[in-house]
Amino acid sequence: MIDKTFYLENLSAFDILIQDEDRKQAEEVIFRVYSILQRDKIWLRDIATQEEIFEEDVELLEEVEQELKELDEQYDFRFEEFNKLVQQEMKKLQSNSNVSLTEVDDFENEDDSVFYGQDDEELEDITEDFETADEEDFLVDGDFYDEDDDESDDVLSHLSDEEIDLVPEFILESAKKRFNYPAFLESFPVDDEFFVEEEFLFPVIVGKAFGESSMEISEKIHSSMMMHGYVMEKSDLLQMIDQKGKEMGPEILAFKVASDSLQQGAHPRDVVAQIAPLLRS
C-alpha cells in the first residue's frame, strides 16, 4: 500500500524545482506529498491489518513527516492550515453523502495532481511492480510496455504511436541540450544519428532511471553495436556512459516520473507538461 517510489521521486522533484526557484510548481509537488502522507497515515492507523504493516513503511512515513516539518519551517508552506481546510471539506462531504470518514477514498483536489496522480483503486496494482521493473518492462521498439502483464497494454492501447512517442522524444530533445551534441555525434564511432539517440542516449537514460549500473548498460549497448556491425572498446563505452549519465541527470529523473505516470493512465501530453519543469535547468 505504501509507495516508497512516490515519496522519493516527488521529494527529489521538489528539490529540483525549489532550487530553480519555481515556487508554484514546487508547492504543487510538496502539497501532493503531504496529502498522500496523511492518507497513508490513516491507512496504517485505522485500516491496515497487522500482516499489512511493515516496519520499513512506518519508518518511511516518519522520515517523510519529519522532512515535511523541516521544509515547512524553511519555506512556510503552512501545512497545518491546509490540513484544517481539508478536514472541513471532508466533514462537508460526510454530511452531504452520509459516508463515514474511513470510507472516503481520496480527499485530494484534482488540480493538485501535477505529479503522480494516484487513485486508491490503482495503488495496489502498481506499487510492487514499479520498484522491481527494468527498462525492458516498459520499452519495446521505443514504446512503453510491460511484457509481464498483458493488462498493462490496455493503459496505452487507445493511444497512437505518435502520442506515445511524445514523451521519449521530449526527453531526448532535452538531453541533447545538456552537452555539445554535434561534437558528440562527430566523435561517436557510429555515423548514424538515429542509432546514437535510440541505441545509446535513450538506453542510458532508461537504464540509469531504473537503477542499472553503467556496466550493465554498457553490455546491452555493446551488444546492440555488434549486432549492427559497429566496433567500440568496452572501456571507452563505459567511460562515455558514466559521463552522459551525470550530464543527463534531469532527464533520468524525468523518465522515472514519466514512466509511472504513463502506467497510471496519464495522457502523454499531460506527462510532458508534468516533466517539463524538471528539465528547465
Side-chain angles (χ1 to χ4, degrees):
M1 178 64 183
I2 305 300
D3 188 353
K4 180 178 180 180
T5 302
F6 166 81
Y7 288 111
L8 295 180
E9 294 185 355
N10 278 274
L11 288 171
S12 296
F14 168 82
D15 289 338
I16 292 176
L17 292 168
I18 204 69
Q19 289 173 10
D20 291 342
E21 299 183 354
D22 192 341
R23 171 83 184 201
K24 182 176 183 298
Q25 290 288 341
E27 283 188 354
E28 290 175 341
V29 173
I30 208 63
F31 272 91
R32 172 70 179 165
V33 172
Y34 179 82
S35 297
I36 297 301
L37 174 64
Q38 304 314 307
R39 184 186 63 188
D40 285 348
K41 286 168 60 180
I42 293 173
W43 180 81
L44 274 178
R45 186 184 68 236
D46 300 330
I47 302 175
T49 64
Q50 289 297 322
E51 292 75 16
E52 293 175 313
I53 299 177
F54 299 97
E55 184 177 352
E56 56 264 32
D57 289 337
V58 176
E59 293 176 353
L60 171 65
L61 295 190
E62 290 176 350
E63 291 172 1
V64 171
E65 186 168 34
Q66 180 60 37
E67 184 167 355
L68 290 182
K69 287 181 180 178
E70 294 173 0
L71 291 175
D72 195 7
E73 294 175 358
Q74 182 176 358
Y75 297 105
D76 191 27
F77 289 127
R78 295 181 295 176
F79 288 131
E80 287 297 328
E81 294 182 21
F82 171 75
N83 189 52
K84 290 178 181 179
L85 291 174
V86 170
Q87 295 300 325
Q88 290 174 6
E89 291 301 316
M90 290 177 65
K91 289 179 180 179
K92 290 180 183 178
L93 180 63
Q94 179 185 8
S95 61
N96 291 336
S97 61
N98 294 320
V99 178
S100 67
L101 288 179
T102 57
E103 292 174 316
V104 177
D105 288 333
D106 197 355
F107 55 78
E108 73 198 35
N109 188 311
E110 291 182 359
D111 293 337
D112 292 334
S113 302
V114 175
F115 285 88
Y116 284 88
Q118 294 177 324
D119 295 329
D120 285 346
E121 296 177 356
E122 299 171 340
L123 274 171
E124 293 183 1
D125 296 331
I126 64 173
T127 51
E128 293 183 358
D129 293 338
F130 184 75
E131 292 184 5
T132 57
D134 59 26
E135 74 275 19
E136 291 179 356
D137 292 329
F138 290 87
L139 291 162
V140 174
D141 295 333
D143 292 341
F144 288 80
Y145 177 78
D146 185 347
E147 63 181 4
D148 294 324
D149 186 3
D150 291 337
E151 291 183 1
S152 66
D153 231 2
D154 296 336
V155 178
L156 305 177
S157 61
H158 64 291
L159 300 173
S160 66
D161 291 342
E162 289 75 15
E163 288 175 312
I164 296 175
D165 286 344
L166 286 173
V167 174
E169 288 176 357
F170 184 76
I171 292 176
L172 272 174
E173 285 304 310
S174 175
K176 287 154 60 175
K177 298 174 183 177
R178 298 288 167 189
F179 51 91
N180 190 335
Y181 182 64
F184 177 72
L185 279 178
E186 291 184 5
S187 65
F188 201 80
V190 178
D191 186 20
D192 183 339
E193 184 172 0
F194 181 82
F195 183 92
V196 172
E197 292 182 2
E198 299 296 325
E199 302 295 335
F200 178 79
L201 290 182
F202 204 54
V204 171
I205 294 171
V206 175
K208 292 291 185 180
F210 286 100
E212 289 191 348
S213 67
S214 295
M215 181 62 71
E216 291 172 320
I217 298 170
S218 69
E219 291 291 340
K220 296 179 181 180
I221 295 177
H222 191 261
S223 296
S224 177
M225 294 180 72
M226 293 183 64
M227 288 177 59
H228 288 80
Y230 303 121
V231 178
M232 184 176 185
E233 291 292 333
K234 284 188 177 182
S235 58
D236 294 337
L237 179 59
L238 186 61
Q239 183 178 2
M240 193 177 294
I241 291 171
D242 281 335
Q243 180 182 355
K244 291 295 172 280
K246 295 176 182 178
E247 293 172 342
M248 299 188 298
E251 285 70 32
I252 292 168
L253 173 60
F255 183 83
K256 292 181 182 180
V257 175
S259 298
D260 190 53
S261 296
L262 286 171
Q263 289 299 310
Q264 293 180 42
H267 192 280
R269 287 193 301 271
D270 296 328
V271 174
V272 168
Q274 289 178 354
I275 64 178
L278 302 178
L279 303 178
R280 288 176 183 166
S281 58

